[in-house]
Amino acid sequence: MTQKMTIPFSRPSSRIQAVAPSATKLMAQRAAGIENCVSLGQGVPGFSPPPHVVQAVQKMLTDNPTISRYTLQNGMPELRERLSKYLQDEKGVEADPDHEICVTVGGMEALLASILAVVDPGDEVLLPSPTYASYTEQVLLAGGVPVFVPLNSGWGLDLASLEAAITKNTRAILLCNPGNPTGNVYSAAEIHALCALAVANNIVLIIDEAYDYIVYDDTKILNPLSLDEYRNHVIAIGSLSKKYCLTGWRVGWVAAARQWMEHITKVHDAATICAPTISQCAALAALNGDQQWVATCCRKLAEKKEVCCSRLDRLTPHFSYVTPKGAFYVMAKYHFSSETSHQTANRLLDETGVITVPGGSFGQGGESHLRLSFGGETAEIHESFDRIERWLGV
Ligand SMILES: Cc1ncc(COP(=O)(O)O)c(C=O)c1O
């Protein structure tokens, strides 16, 4: 065999070396090598997109010659106008479509652009935790320091601990409402208190409402950008991914005061130029289409939540959990093992083919839990729990 000459790699940036690959995607990758897996893992809704969106896009592909071109950096004017109306009607947020809204490559890019516009190297970002794992990765990418502030035992905010965690280096608080991975929904009082904390300490509240459409009780989600007195300290992010089952289309938005948006748009332009035109067309069709479609999905998700929770109840005392109030996740605390959540999730996958996400990957407070997504097919949820029951010998 001939010996290949090995040329050493050049050094990757220290910024990227600080970032760990996402556990959600690692589990999916690991599962790809295992036959006959079933998933309670990645948060992908198990419905097809609304037929009217698919039809509108098909028509645009043939009728609209500009569909293959870039749009303006901040997005198609008609879409920004529609988003502005949506923000006003649904959230009481006033956002000028020309200067205060930017259409992005999913909520993910909106988050990264906002973090890069706000966070300098060494700045601290408070993450009520367990938190969406990508926040941690994005803060690290910006050279920032993630500071995990544990949620209370019911997954509510611990405002005293948040206040105590603020230092002269704190730049932002990052929160999703409803919460991934906890399924918690934060009350208007909690959002008011966070805003007051942000203004008093001159820091920014970045609020991510990727799951705003799916709340299981009558709690109304308060978007802090609707509160005039706090407006300059808030950046609001949203996504069409989950609501309209368009995860692969990659389209979301960010709204903020013009002063922030100027900077956010610079990042967005440098990284992407604009969100894909075809996806912006899909977004417009989704927002203009029959919203009954979304209501039907929410009803089905509420049924799936019941299935997931009743199957977990059957597994007491092996698991305990806080009933989710929104989104389609539950953090299931396991009591059958003292292994780490990574070891437990991997063993469960290897021995049963059930994909979950280790709770420890969502930061402090997530250890000893598995995050279960019940967004998929009901039959798959049942099959996953059947396997877990056999595995535990229940
Ligand atoms: C809390 C949260 N924010 C943002 C995103 C990213 O969504 P998008 O597909 O719009 O980039 C996700 C995706 O799972 C999420 O769970």
Side-chain angles (χ1 to χ4, degrees):
M1 218 164 71
T2 52
Q3 196 78 39
K4 275 202 184 142
M5 197 172 66
T6 46
I7 303 171
F9 283 106
S10 185
R11 178 186 59 80
S13 69
S14 42
R15 194 184 327 101
I16 203 61
Q17 289 187 64
V19 178
S22 144
T24 312
K25 284 114 203 171
L26 279 182
M27 288 302 286
Q29 256 170 31
R30 190 183 165 111
I34 299 173
E35 259 178 44
N36 194 22
C37 284
V38 282
S39 183
L40 296 172
Q42 204 170 2
V44 178
F47 313 111
S48 303
H52 53 265
V53 172
V54 178
Q55 282 151 18
V57 168
Q58 278 167 342
K59 188 165 159 41
M60 283 174 208
L61 272 173
T62 46
D63 294 0
N64 185 345
T66 62
I67 196 117
S68 299
R69 301 197 189 137
Y70 299 127
T71 65
L72 291 172
Q73 279 100 331
N74 56 358
M76 286 166 22
E78 321 73 299
L79 177 55
R80 278 182 281 113
E81 269 155 35
R82 185 63 189 83
L83 279 168
S84 172
K85 179 168 164 26
Y86 155 78
L87 287 170
Q88 178 72 72
D89 295 350
E90 304 282 320
K91 297 174 187 284
V93 168
E94 268 181 42
D96 170 359
D98 290 329
H99 303 292
E100 295 183 324
I101 295 178
C102 180
V103 182
T104 54
V105 182
M108 202 65 118
E109 193 241 327
L111 283 159
L112 184 60
S114 304
I115 291 170
L116 286 171
V118 169
V119 175
D120 269 330
D123 284 348
E124 292 168 4
V125 178
L126 303 189
L127 300 171
S129 172
T131 184
Y132 180 45
S134 299
Y135 296 163
T136 310
E137 293 148 18
Q138 294 196 347
V139 169
L140 289 169
L141 271 179
V145 181
V147 176
F148 299 109
V149 182
L151 294 166
N152 65 31
S153 58
W155 301 136
L157 291 178
D158 180 343
L159 289 161
S161 297
L162 274 166
E163 190 165 8
I166 294 178
T167 71
K168 63 177 185 356
N169 297 323
T170 309
R171 249 342 254 127
I173 304 174
L174 184 38
L175 184 79
C176 50
N177 192 20
N180 174 6
T182 62
N184 192 30
V185 175
Y186 301 99
S187 66
E190 286 175 296
I191 297 296
H192 266 284
L194 271 189
C195 288
L197 212 57
V199 171
N201 293 280
N202 198 19
I203 59 183
V204 180
L205 172 62
I206 304 177
I207 194 91
D208 172 6
E209 294 188 348
Y211 299 92
D212 57 357
Y213 69 102
I214 178 77
V215 175
Y216 299 110
D217 58 17
D218 52 9
T219 309
K220 179 103 182 72
I221 291 188
L222 175 69
N223 185 302
L225 205 56
S226 67
L227 306 169
D228 268 356
E229 65 273 40
Y230 302 125
R231 216 180 134 69
N232 292 343
H233 288 79
V234 173
I235 297 176
I237 280 152
S239 167
L240 286 95
S241 283
K242 315 279 169 156
K243 184 172 182 180
Y244 298 103
C245 302
L246 294 171
T247 51
W249 289 78
R250 314 304 305 123
V251 58
W253 51 264
V254 49
R258 185 173 180 162
Q259 287 85 340
W260 282 121
M261 196 52 76
E262 279 171 10
H263 299 299
I264 292 168
T265 311
K266 283 189 278 183
V267 184
H268 167 70
D269 181 26
T272 70
I273 301 180
C274 64
T277 307
I278 187 90
S279 305
Q280 295 191 51
C281 292
L284 189 57
L287 290 164
N288 282 338
D290 178 12
Q291 300 306 304
Q292 202 44 48
W293 186 91
V294 178
T296 305
C297 286
C298 288
R299 217 190 48 245
K300 290 182 184 161
L301 280 172
E303 288 165 11
K304 289 172 197 287
K305 182 195 76 144
E306 291 306 317
V307 169
C308 184
C309 291
S310 64
R311 295 297 308 247
L312 273 172
D313 290 341
R314 269 167 54 172
L315 288 170
T316 315
H318 297 291
F319 284 104
S320 59
Y321 65 97
V322 177
T323 307
K325 297 183 194 151
F328 40 81
Y329 306 107
V330 57
M331 283 289 265
K333 185 169 177 140
Y334 53 84
H335 303 281
F336 53 82
S337 156
S338 53
E339 287 180 331
T340 67
S341 56
H342 281 84
Q343 288 165 332
T344 306
N346 283 332
R347 203 154 60 77
L348 182 64
L349 176 60
D350 293 341
E351 294 173 15
T352 69
V354 177
I355 309 170
T356 58
V357 183
S361 60
F362 300 101
Q364 213 176 329
E367 205 31 83
S368 303
H369 293 77
L370 299 174
R371 190 199 72 175
L372 311 181
S373 162
F374 51 84
E377 300 287 340
T378 305
E380 196 168 351
I381 300 171
H382 277 302
E383 173 61 22
S384 304
F385 277 102
D386 288 348
R387 292 187 194 187
I388 295 172
E389 282 187 357
R390 285 197 294 273
W391 189 60
L392 291 171
V394 178

